[in-house]
Amino acid sequence: MNELTTISIKAIKGIGEETAQALEDMHIHSVHDLLEHFPYRYEDYELKDLAEAKHDEKVTVEGKVHSVPSLTYYGKKRSRLTFRLLVNRYLITVTCFNRPYYKSKLEIDQTVTVTGKWDQHRQTINLQELQFSPFVKNQTIEPVYSVKGSLTVKGMRKFVSLALKNYGSSIQDMLPASIRSRYKLVTREEAVRSIHLPRDHEDLKQARRRFVYEEFLLFQLKMQALRKREREETPGMKQVFDSTELVNFTNLLPFPLTNAQKRVVNEITHDMKSPYRMNRLLQGDVGSGKTVVAAVALYATVLAGHQGALMVPTEILAEQHAESLTAMLEKVGISVGLLTGSVKGKARRELLQRVKDGDVHVLVGTHALIQDEVIYNSLGLVITDEQHRFGVGQRRVLREKGESPDVLFMTATPIPRTLAITVFGEMDVSIIDEMPAGRKAIETYWVKHDMLERILHFVEKEIHDGRQAYVICPLIEESDKLDVQNAIDVHATLTHYFNGKASVGLMHGRLSPDEKEEVMKQFSVNDVQILVSTTVVEVGVNVPNATVMVIYDAERFGLSQLHQLRGRVGRGDAQSYCILLADPKSEVGKERMTIMTETNDGFVLSERDLELRGPGDFFGRKQSGMPEFKVADMVHDYRALEVAREDAAKLVNSDSFWTEDQFALLRIQLEATGVLTGEKFD
Ligand code: ADP
Ligand code: MG
């Protein structure tokens, strides 16, 4: 791609066979690779004003020796040397361990530069490095590199600085001057020089700004190119239907749509009518009313003469969705089928036949929907609920079952916008950011476990008033390793406590589907008042009469998950409560609990979660589509990410990007990702 990739690292003075091998082991083969091996941190020797220094901070100061050093030995080898140093108007102490030889070298009034940890309380620097001449170090911020094997940081510094000296001027800039000047970005050569050998903090800042933008732009170009290609190459379905029919349908609902619901319905139906294939993410907090939106879209595809499929992660959820969709859609003559693993034998064969014949208009189910045996008559729309639980592969298989169905991914996990436009960069995003009117905010309390007794009294009172409660535990069975409350134990305890006052059900992932369904049914008709459960109830379950959500060991859950759990209550007219039982030890744990009590807004929570957990952990282990950036940080640099996304979209859809010389290097970068030719296409 550029000439430096073709120059071996051995061309650099001092890199022989052995060093070259060690570098190769770190995937550094060429001069280009070496220059792209950025420091992961810096040693900061910039002179510090002690008035600004923080306790325990590493500082470098210049001053005059103000007292004769005193030396104390303890044992034969261990010693401590202290002397007073006058730094500007400050008189401080310098302490130095096990370097007795300094005593004879230090003279009163001599100027020295000391580096070490600043003890603000004792006004003392614990010396790490001492220089006798006035401050002459020209590299005040030194790069620290990751190294392996026989390599040393010092060696790396030397090699990198030689590489910069001899080859720096050959560093090409993929960003054209037009873009650089728009954002006042330094050239790539300057940025590479500064990231390795910054003269000062400003240098480093400018280098960072440049790389943040570059990394985001390249990433977003890839996403936008992917999106463009998908649009151009996948023939979409132009679904033809009469929108007034949709309005008539929504008029049959027991409530008016919220403005947000209307808006996203418009966005979705607009996509469906267009000749492109819809690839849209619908985000809406728990309870924001995504199911209705799905129903409208499914009705639209049926009006256009096709079938719709709704795929959900669990059987319970599939049943609930089938039920609520049937209630809404049968009024307009739409037949809804339910396909799960539990539908077997003759019933299954008949259902599949009706799907094939087109007699089933809307099919709801778990991943069973994408098995080979399911043949659709004409699949026009695929909706998945809780999108991030499905792998990319599954989505593709389902998509390929139809000719080219429109695809809608629904999620109740509010994803911070930064992540949404990153992980789902090639998708369009719709957001329901408004709750149906009249919802009461759920009151959330964080209490220590020793308050359990009072909490149980409270639950008892709610049940006495005819309400129901969930009690969530992190684990199913007792584990030796983790001291956490488990569902089976808690179930036993509560059964005993509520003996004669309430019936307590137990639900967890190891129950058979039939058993789960049975428990769920009992809870939904209030035969069971308290449901002790693991997180299987996390997604989607709807029992409006439940008003209390108690979560044991709440510190074990992430914010998003806690919010999902909380969303199981507050679904009816009555005031609901969420009680977090937690004794978090870490600051982050405490912070999480506090945030939960402060806001009911899933988007606010998700932003905070992202801050606390970092982008890598946000989705947990399951979702790893996260790009890795060398310099950029999606959380802190999110503004740059948005800017880069807009720029990338404009570029990819402009002629000049594909023809003008100034964009040639960016095009080469993009080609290298494979998105243009189709190697990368989920
Ligand atoms: P989610 O987005 O979590 O899937 P649901 O679709 O299950 O939310 O909707 C939650 C509840 O809100 C349901 O009982 C539904 O009937 C109700 N609902 C949906 N939209 C509205 C609305 N516009 N006005 C009043 N209630 C609504
Ligand atoms: Mg839902």
Side-chain angles (χ1 to χ4, degrees):
M1 148 216 116
N2 70 50
E3 69 173 291
L4 297 183
T5 59
T6 64
I7 302 175
S8 156
I9 36 171
K10 288 186 207 157
I12 291 171
K13 211 175 126 205
I15 300 186
E17 282 302 333
E18 195 193 333
T19 308
Q21 189 54 53
L23 287 166
E24 300 260 343
D25 289 345
M26 296 182 70
H27 307 288
I28 297 171
H29 311 286
S30 64
V31 169
H32 169 83
D33 298 338
L34 183 62
L35 291 176
E36 290 293 309
H37 185 64
F38 294 172
Y40 70 92
R41 66 177 187 89
Y42 299 85
E43 285 285 3
D44 193 345
Y45 293 103
E46 200 164 31
L47 287 179
K48 191 92 195 174
D49 184 347
L50 281 176
E52 286 169 15
K54 293 186 198 77
H55 181 65
D56 259 3
E57 189 185 354
K58 188 171 170 182
V59 295
T60 297
V61 296
E62 192 177 274
K64 282 190 172 162
V65 178
H66 200 70
S67 71
V68 178
S70 78
L71 180 63
T72 323
Y73 273 96
Y74 16 21
K76 264 188 192 153
K77 286 190 182 149
R78 296 167 60 204
S79 68
R80 184 179 66 196
L81 182 85
T82 49
F83 61 94
R84 308 283 273 169
L85 186 72
L86 189 64
V87 182
N88 298 327
R89 55 206 162 79
Y90 282 97
L91 192 56
I92 62 164
T93 307
V94 177
T95 310
C96 169
F97 290 96
N98 307 326
R99 278 179 267 190
Y101 42 85
Y102 279 156
K103 182 170 167 65
S104 60
K105 293 191 178 169
L106 289 163
E107 286 162 26
I108 298 278
D109 274 352
Q110 181 184 11
T111 299
V112 294
T113 305
V114 303
T115 300
K117 251 196 191 169
W118 174 231
D119 183 333
Q120 194 175 28
H121 314 306
R122 299 205 169 97
Q123 297 282 295
T124 296
I125 289 180
N126 290 304
L127 189 99
Q128 289 164 359
E129 225 177 285
L130 178 73
Q131 277 177 281
F132 291 96
S133 47
F135 198 61
V136 287
K137 247 192 158 129
N138 49 12
Q139 200 57 48
T140 58
I141 305 175
E142 291 196 321
V144 181
Y145 298 96
S146 62
V147 287
K148 267 191 195 159
S150 60
L151 292 169
T152 62
V153 172
K154 265 194 177 155
M156 284 299 278
R157 284 179 190 160
K158 199 177 77 192
F159 303 143
V160 169
S161 106
L162 274 174
L164 282 171
K165 191 163 154 240
N166 297 333
Y167 302 102
S169 59
S170 304
I171 295 171
Q172 290 178 311
D173 201 335
M174 64 190 96
L175 294 183
S178 59
I179 292 183
R180 279 204 319 271
S181 70
R182 189 183 319 152
Y183 303 116
K184 298 196 169 56
L185 299 173
V186 296
T187 64
R188 193 159 215 283
E189 181 188 339
E190 280 174 84
V192 173
R193 286 185 188 281
S194 298
I195 203 97
H196 289 292
L197 302 172
R199 281 161 301 190
D200 52 28
H201 288 278
E202 185 59 24
D203 256 13
L204 206 51
K205 189 174 144 197
Q206 293 307 329
R208 269 194 43 106
R209 273 187 75 231
R210 146 85 207 206
F211 284 122
V212 166
Y213 181 81
E214 177 189 304
E215 287 184 332
F216 283 157
L217 185 73
L218 286 175
F219 176 73
Q220 290 294 347
L221 278 174
K222 187 174 132 188
M223 287 300 178
Q224 299 302 321
L226 194 64
R227 180 164 180 259
K228 182 167 186 268
R229 216 192 90 217
E230 220 181 6
R231 289 203 148 194
E232 284 167 2
E233 292 184 8
T234 322
M237 237 181 214
K238 200 170 163 166
Q239 308 210 37
V240 184
F241 50 85
D242 183 357
S243 291
T244 54
E245 296 275 355
L246 298 183
V247 175
N248 292 341
F249 168 65
T250 57
N251 285 340
L252 295 174
L253 296 169
F255 43 74
L257 293 187
T258 61
N259 286 331
Q261 282 171 321
K262 285 184 198 157
R263 191 185 64 239
V264 303
V265 162
N266 280 335
E267 287 165 354
I268 292 164
T269 51
H270 179 268
D271 278 2
M272 291 172 71
K273 283 180 172 170
S274 86
Y276 299 118
R277 189 173 65 71
M278 173 165 72
N279 186 28
R280 188 171 280 278
L281 178 72
L282 173 60
Q283 288 193 60
D285 208 343
V286 185
S288 63
K290 293 183 293 298
T291 316
V292 180
V293 173
V296 178
L298 289 166
Y299 183 43
T301 200
V302 178
L303 286 177
H306 303 290
Q307 289 163 297
L310 174 64
M311 184 155 77
V312 298
T314 66
E315 297 214 352
I316 297 174
L317 214 51
E319 283 158 23
Q320 285 204 343
H321 268 111
E323 216 170 279
S324 49
L325 286 178
T326 304
M328 288 186 257
L329 289 166
E330 74 185 351
K331 288 183 206 147
V332 282
I334 303 290
S335 69
V336 179
L338 171 66
L339 181 68
T340 63
S342 318
V343 182
K344 295 195 175 89
K346 188 158 170 259
R348 192 177 189 87
R349 282 196 302 278
E350 278 175 9
L351 177 64
L352 292 175
Q353 188 59 46
R354 289 176 58 224
V355 172
K356 195 172 170 185
D357 294 342
D359 293 341
V360 169
H361 301 126
V362 171
L363 189 61
V364 181
T366 52
H367 56 272
L369 289 191
I370 63 166
Q371 282 158 10
D372 281 343
E373 54 170 345
V374 189
I375 298 162
Y376 294 87
N377 186 279
S378 169
L379 186 57
L381 173 67
V382 173
I383 303 179
T384 71
D385 199 6
E386 293 319 319
Q387 173 286 320
H388 62 276
R389 288 174 182 242
F390 287 99
V392 161
Q394 285 172 304
R395 299 195 313 238
R396 187 185 52 217
V397 171
L398 186 48
R399 203 195 291 151
E400 284 171 357
K401 284 194 158 292
E403 278 137 47
S404 183
D406 284 320
V407 180
L408 180 69
F409 305 99
M410 300 199 298
T411 179
T413 310
I415 303 163
R417 186 168 161 75
T418 41
L419 284 196
I421 66 176
T422 310
V423 179
F424 307 107
E426 84 286 11
M427 289 189 190
D428 295 301
V429 178
S430 286
I431 298 175
I432 307 183
D433 51 5
E434 178 188 1
M435 285 289 176
R439 279 288 156 76
K440 287 201 180 72
I442 300 164
E443 286 178 23
T444 302
Y445 299 96
W446 165 28
V447 299
K448 303 275 167 70
H449 278 279
D450 55 20
M451 296 271 284
L452 183 61
E453 193 74 25
R454 280 181 62 183
I455 300 307
L456 293 182
H457 275 300
F458 176 70
V459 171
E460 198 179 326
K461 190 185 124 289
E462 284 289 301
I463 287 169
H464 184 77
D465 291 347
R467 305 297 172 195
Q468 289 166 273
Y470 293 95
V471 176
I472 306 296
C473 312
L475 287 186
I476 300 174
E477 277 172 77
E478 198 159 345
S479 132
D480 293 338
K481 286 188 201 114
L482 290 171
D483 176 27
V484 286
Q485 297 291 333
N486 58 79
I488 290 169
D489 261 13
V490 170
H491 176 252
T493 310
L494 296 192
T495 303
H496 179 74
Y497 181 95
F498 286 99
N499 188 18
K501 291 177 255 177
S503 142
V504 186
L506 174 65
M507 165 91 147
H508 57 69
R510 286 205 210 141
L511 296 180
S512 72
D514 285 351
E515 289 168 320
K516 277 188 210 161
E517 190 186 314
E518 185 54 31
V519 178
M520 223 35 242
K521 234 179 228 144
Q522 289 172 341
F523 189 61
S524 62
V525 297
N526 203 358
D527 279 350
V528 159
Q529 286 78 46
I530 300 173
L531 184 64
V532 176
S533 175
T534 57
T535 55
V536 276
V537 295
E538 180 191 339
V539 247
V541 175
N542 192 23
V543 179
N545 192 46
T547 52
V548 188
M549 166 62 65
V550 179
I551 305 174
Y552 273 74
D553 296 303
E555 75 272 16
R556 303 214 165 249
F557 299 101
L559 276 177
S560 295
Q561 205 175 11
L562 288 173
H563 183 61
Q564 287 292 313
L565 289 168
R566 176 166 62 185
R568 296 309 105 217
V569 296
R571 303 176 84 84
D573 302 328
Q575 177 62 51
S576 287
Y577 307 88
C578 174
I579 292 144
L580 308 168
L581 284 172
D583 301 290
K585 304 218 165 45
S586 71
E587 285 309 309
V588 170
K590 288 175 193 159
E591 174 110 20
R592 273 204 206 119
M593 296 308 118
T594 310
I595 297 168
M596 280 297 291
T597 62
E598 284 170 356
T599 181
N600 267 303
D601 185 326
F603 281 94
V604 172
L605 278 168
S606 74
E607 296 283 353
R608 300 297 297 273
D609 206 13
L610 178 61
E611 277 168 35
L612 290 177
R613 286 210 262 179
D617 279 346
F618 188 80
F619 291 103
R621 254 153 277 133
K622 277 185 185 154
Q623 176 102 19
S624 61
M626 250 5 201
E628 290 208 7
F629 299 109
K630 249 175 14 179
V631 177
D633 175 324
M634 271 187 286
V635 182
H636 295 107
D637 303 321
Y638 72 94
R639 277 194 202 89
L641 180 59
E642 302 233 348
V643 168
R645 177 176 160 94
E646 275 169 35
D647 290 350
K650 272 187 211 142
L651 283 173
V652 166
N653 293 304
S654 71
D655 285 339
S656 53
F657 178 74
W658 302 101
T659 53
E660 287 176 17
D661 279 352
Q662 60 164 335
F663 299 115
L665 290 172
L666 278 178
R667 288 198 299 270
I668 291 171
Q669 292 281 336
L670 197 52
E671 267 159 37
T673 66
V675 295
L676 301 182
T677 48
E679 291 148 46
K680 279 258 179 81
F681 206 42
D682 69 26

